[in-house]
Amino acid sequence: MSLETKDVRKAFGGVVALDGATVKFREGQVNALIGPNGSGKTTFFNCVTGMIRADSGQITYAGQDITRKAPHAIARAGVGRTFQLCRVFPRMSALDNVLAAVRPGGLLGGLRGARHRAEVDRARGWLTRLGIEHLIDVEARNMSWGQQKLLELAGVLMGEPATVLLDEPAGGVNPALLDRIGTLVRELNAEGRTFVIVEHNMDLVMSISDHIVVFDRGRPIAEGPPSLIRTDERVLGAYLGV
């Protein structure tokens, strides 16, 4: 499903975070959104997913205007999202975290209601696919940072989103888990999911991305395949000041 923005602007007081961001991410591909610290990447994700409201501009997904929609409505439309800082329930088991992630009533809905076999089996399946099935009964607070990131992603995938936004999936993750995340993204993309990834780890970005958008000062300055982005003078200038 196509995700597009047109002239999206967002300011916090006198600080302009997004300055007319017009972007079109490619459906069915692994897209990356990169840029220096403070370039507006996470603010962009927050606007797209309804966590904050853009001051102006338009955001569309699958041809529908989602600019003013609430986060739960955007999620139901098919957009899933992880965060820089994992959003998991620390005192709940891995299985309950994944089940709670898709319950209409949130946390309480995840703990009450009919936990029928098909739903539990599907949650177990995602934990297995992400390689953390051995932690199924472990509370999230007793997991490593990387394991919590995988748990958060399992909850997102439980909602079966067509488009997945990953906010710095490599942050604080050891190399083995990082390889697992990269492999999983490519596998899920091959199965039809679109990805948009905010990431500072350029090795990961260049190895798994089909299309890269580069932000600087709240707007895109370059886009294209990794082979072009590596040598783009505007990108080198943004990152290195050359």
Side-chain angles (χ1 to χ4, degrees):
M1 299 290 186
S2 177
L3 175 62
E4 303 180 38
T5 68
K6 183 177 181 181
D7 199 27
V8 171
R9 299 176 184 273
K10 181 65 183 178
F12 300 95
V15 178
V16 177
L18 294 175
D19 188 16
T22 298
V23 184
K24 181 176 182 178
F25 294 108
R26 299 193 175 185
E27 183 179 352
Q29 295 192 358
V30 177
N31 301 267
L33 177 59
I34 66 172
N37 287 328
S39 59
K41 303 181 300 295
T42 293
T43 299
F44 181 83
F45 264 22
N46 286 340
C47 287
V48 165
T49 55
M51 302 301 294
I52 60 176
R53 289 281 181 90
D55 296 331
S56 60
Q58 185 179 45
I59 304 166
T60 59
Y61 179 69
Q64 298 185 3
D65 189 336
I66 61 170
T67 311
R68 302 294 174 184
K69 289 188 178 295
H72 68 272
I74 294 171
R76 282 202 303 265
V79 180
R81 185 255 173 100
T82 66
F83 294 82
Q84 284 183 20
L85 300 178
C86 296
R87 295 198 173 187
V88 295
F89 298 112
R91 295 182 179 273
M92 287 172 54
S93 71
L95 179 61
D96 283 334
N97 262 279
V98 176
L99 290 171
V102 294
R103 292 287 186 174
L107 173 58
L108 292 179
L111 296 177
R112 297 197 298 251
R115 287 175 49 165
H116 53 78
R117 174 56 55 187
E119 188 173 42
V120 172
D121 286 348
R122 196 159 63 87
R124 286 177 178 270
W126 281 118
L127 291 170
T128 298
R129 185 157 187 188
L130 270 68
I132 53 174
E133 70 279 5
H134 61 292
L135 301 172
I136 192 167
D137 295 317
V138 175
E139 292 183 355
R141 61 178 175 165
N142 295 322
M143 300 178 189
S144 71
W145 181 251
Q147 290 167 341
Q148 289 184 30
K149 287 210 165 197
L150 290 172
L151 177 60
E152 182 187 36
L153 179 56
V156 170
L157 293 170
M158 187 72 173
E160 299 294 342
T163 299
V164 182
L165 279 57
L166 303 180
D167 198 348
E168 297 194 21
V173 175
N174 69 47
L177 288 180
L178 184 57
D179 287 344
R180 185 179 301 166
I181 291 172
T183 299
L184 182 69
V185 167
R186 293 306 306 182
E187 290 177 351
L188 292 170
N189 173 246
E191 294 168 12
R193 282 186 175 83
T194 299
F195 281 85
V196 183
I197 303 173
V198 164
E199 186 51 66
H200 289 287
N201 185 317
M202 288 300 101
D203 288 338
L204 178 65
V205 168
M206 295 298 172
S207 66
I208 69 172
S209 301
D210 302 304
H211 184 74
I212 300 174
V213 177
V214 186
F215 264 29
D216 188 32
R217 300 178 183 179
R219 63 171 62 190
I221 59 169
E223 64 176 282
S227 58
L228 291 181
I229 295 300
R230 282 191 183 98
T231 58
D232 190 291
E233 292 183 358
R234 294 164 296 178
V235 177
L236 295 175
Y239 273 103
L240 304 176
V242 297

